Amino acid sequence: MDLTQINKKQLREFGIGAAIFFAGIIPLIQFFKHHHPSIILISVGLVFGLLGIFIPQILKPIFYVTMKYVAGPLGWINTRILLSLVFYLLIMPIGFLMRLFGQDILNRKFEKNLTSYWIIRDGKPFDTKHYEKYY
């Protein structure tokens, strides 16, 4: 991420998001857990919110560090976790069941008797308008 590509809208959203996090979510959790929220966190959140609304350019270095060293690694880790879960909980069991029941939807079996693996499709006659409207 380049510091010159960060715009005011991103910085404003970051400041307001940080304000909601530090002055709203964390103190709410503390209130339910310890029955008193942290005044320091609420103050930090309010500062982030005011800076984000009125002087968002001050938040540029904090935004850059947060995106590079917090959001970047979290995105990398979450992607690996989600892709692993999809593969091991969805794709692998489907493949296992298809092998168990002898399904081969890609027709990968080698057959010596065939002269060609070309599949002739019966369907609509060829129409050039199909290239213009796919539906």
Side-chain angles (χ1 to χ4, degrees):
M1 175 177 277
D2 188 18
L3 276 175
T4 58
Q5 295 178 347
I6 301 170
N7 59 28
K8 279 187 177 181
K9 182 181 178 197
Q10 288 175 317
L11 294 172
R12 228 175 236 124
E13 289 172 355
F14 173 72
I16 292 170
I20 291 169
F21 180 74
F22 286 117
I25 296 172
I26 299 295
L28 191 64
I29 293 170
Q30 286 180 338
F31 178 75
F32 286 123
K33 193 171 184 180
H34 303 292
H35 301 295
H36 58 84
S38 172
I39 301 300
I40 295 171
L41 285 176
I42 294 173
S43 302
V44 168
L46 291 175
V47 168
F48 267 109
L50 291 173
L51 288 176
I53 292 170
F54 295 114
I55 318 168
Q57 295 300 328
I58 291 178
L59 296 175
K60 190 179 274 191
I62 299 170
F63 176 80
Y64 179 77
V65 169
T66 304
M67 292 299 126
K68 185 167 184 172
Y69 297 108
V70 177
L74 280 176
W76 187 86
I77 290 168
N78 285 339
T79 301
R80 271 61 184 180
I81 290 171
L82 289 174
L83 287 175
S84 298
L85 286 173
V86 167
F87 179 77
Y88 288 113
L89 297 178
L90 184 71
I91 295 173
M92 194 176 79
I94 290 172
F96 177 73
L97 289 172
M98 289 178 73
R99 284 190 190 129
L100 187 68
F101 292 113
Q103 293 289 321
D104 185 22
I105 59 174
L106 294 177
N107 295 327
R108 295 183 301 166
K109 295 177 187 171
F110 181 73
E111 296 182 28
K112 293 180 182 179
N113 300 336
L114 291 177
T115 57
S116 173
Y117 285 96
W118 188 266
I119 299 172
I120 299 173
R121 302 284 182 201
D122 296 328
K124 298 183 215 174
F126 179 73
D127 185 14
T128 55
K129 290 186 180 183
H130 177 72
Y131 291 118
E132 295 172 10
K133 293 187 177 182
Y134 301 115
Y135 44 91

